[in-house]
Amino acid sequence: MMKLIQISDHIYKLSIQTTVGIPIIINTWFIVSAHEVYIIDTGMDDYAELQITIAKSLGNPKAIFLTHGHLDHINGAKRISEDLKIPIYAHKNELPYINGEWPYPNKTNPENTGVQYKVKPLATATNLPFIYYLTPGHAPGHVVFFHDQDQILICGDLFISDAQHLHTPIKKFTYNMAENIKSGQIIDKICPKLITTSHGDDLFYSYDVYAIYKFKYEEQTI
């Protein structure tokens, strides 16, 4: 299954049904600003060509930004960045794992990302049409991206979501669930109009969304 939808004036979301150990939906995003296109996460390499086509159709591809370096977020980055000749950015705390220097805290072996030592620190990117916040817990350098003009918060794996509720990411791939739940408080700081996640449906923000999430899941980390 493949579906490309426009979720706001400047943001498009690509949803792909694929298999990464288990059947899963992977969402990636394209932010368009003054004919420049910023790709948020790249999903898997087997549909990188589709993402290249979409990015070109929307404008001038500018850069790739990663919420974190897990396989289902970075696997397409090598092909997309090389084809489009654009840089890749991730938070500096994520770079040792992306570069294969260290395994993720809950894994035995380092990731083979294909983009070792090709990803730049997020702090070096300038003149962006969005801002980012560090939200560790699922991964040490996990970030979320907020598009202020459209009031859209791109959350990566900070949550899994359905149309009404937030849920924790898969425990097996999350190194510190308590920290991840604490990081989720960011949504009450930002108060976006819409929350969109890598694995799930978009949902409208309300003040009780995080409170219910915290009440439901926090006791499981104690």
Side-chain angles (χ1 to χ4, degrees):
M1 180 199 79
M2 183 280 286
K3 182 168 64 174
L4 178 68
I5 62 171
Q6 186 172 3
I7 63 173
S8 69
D9 288 345
H10 300 91
I11 302 176
Y12 296 78
K13 181 180 74 171
L14 176 65
S15 298
I16 297 284
Q17 177 76 55
T18 188
T19 300
V20 185
I22 58 172
I24 194 170
I25 291 176
I26 299 177
N27 298 319
T28 57
W29 300 267
F30 304 84
I31 298 177
V32 182
S33 177
H35 303 293
E36 293 183 333
V37 181
Y38 301 82
I39 301 169
I40 309 295
D41 286 345
T42 65
M44 302 301 292
D45 179 69
D46 58 2
Y47 56 89
E49 293 297 333
L50 172 61
Q51 299 206 79
I52 290 167
T53 299
I54 292 170
K56 288 179 177 178
S57 74
L58 293 173
N60 177 34
K62 185 72 172 178
I64 295 167
F65 291 83
L66 301 173
T67 59
H68 61 298
H70 287 168
L71 182 69
D72 55 324
H73 299 259
I74 199 173
N75 191 236
K78 182 177 187 294
R79 191 188 308 195
I80 295 170
S81 64
E82 289 179 353
D83 184 285
L84 297 176
K85 296 179 174 58
I86 56 176
I88 311 167
Y89 295 92
H91 195 275
K92 65 178 182 179
N93 293 0
E94 203 72 359
L95 295 185
Y97 308 99
I98 291 173
N99 293 336
E101 297 168 5
W102 304 340
Y104 276 102
N106 55 339
K107 294 189 176 183
T108 303
N109 299 314
E111 298 277 354
N112 181 12
T113 63
V115 289
Q116 291 89 336
Y117 301 103
K118 295 180 180 180
V119 179
K120 299 180 180 182
L122 191 47
T124 64
T126 58
N127 300 318
L128 302 177
F130 49 82
I131 56 179
Y132 66 88
Y133 297 87
L134 178 63
T135 52
H138 180 67
H142 189 285
V143 297
V144 298
F145 298 100
F146 179 55
H147 192 282
D148 181 70
Q149 185 176 358
D150 290 4
Q151 290 289 294
I152 305 293
L153 184 63
I154 297 173
C155 287
D157 281 359
L158 181 60
F159 312 105
I160 291 175
S161 57
D162 58 45
Q164 285 82 38
H165 301 100
L166 299 173
H167 308 281
T168 55
I170 296 174
K171 185 176 181 180
K172 179 179 180 181
F173 303 117
T174 303
Y175 83 96
N176 188 325
M177 190 64 77
E179 186 176 29
N180 185 82
I181 291 172
K182 183 177 180 181
S183 288
Q185 294 177 11
I186 192 70
I187 67 170
D188 284 342
K189 175 181 177 181
I190 297 172
C191 301
K193 177 181 178 181
L194 190 74
I195 297 167
T196 182
T197 69
S198 294
H199 310 295
D201 301 315
D202 300 341
L203 73 156
F204 290 103
Y205 171 80
S206 65
Y207 186 72
D208 60 353
V209 167
Y210 178 74
I212 293 171
Y213 166 80
K214 185 173 183 287
F215 178 81
K216 184 175 181 180
Y217 292 108
E218 188 175 43
E219 65 180 24
Q220 298 178 18
T221 69
I222 298 175

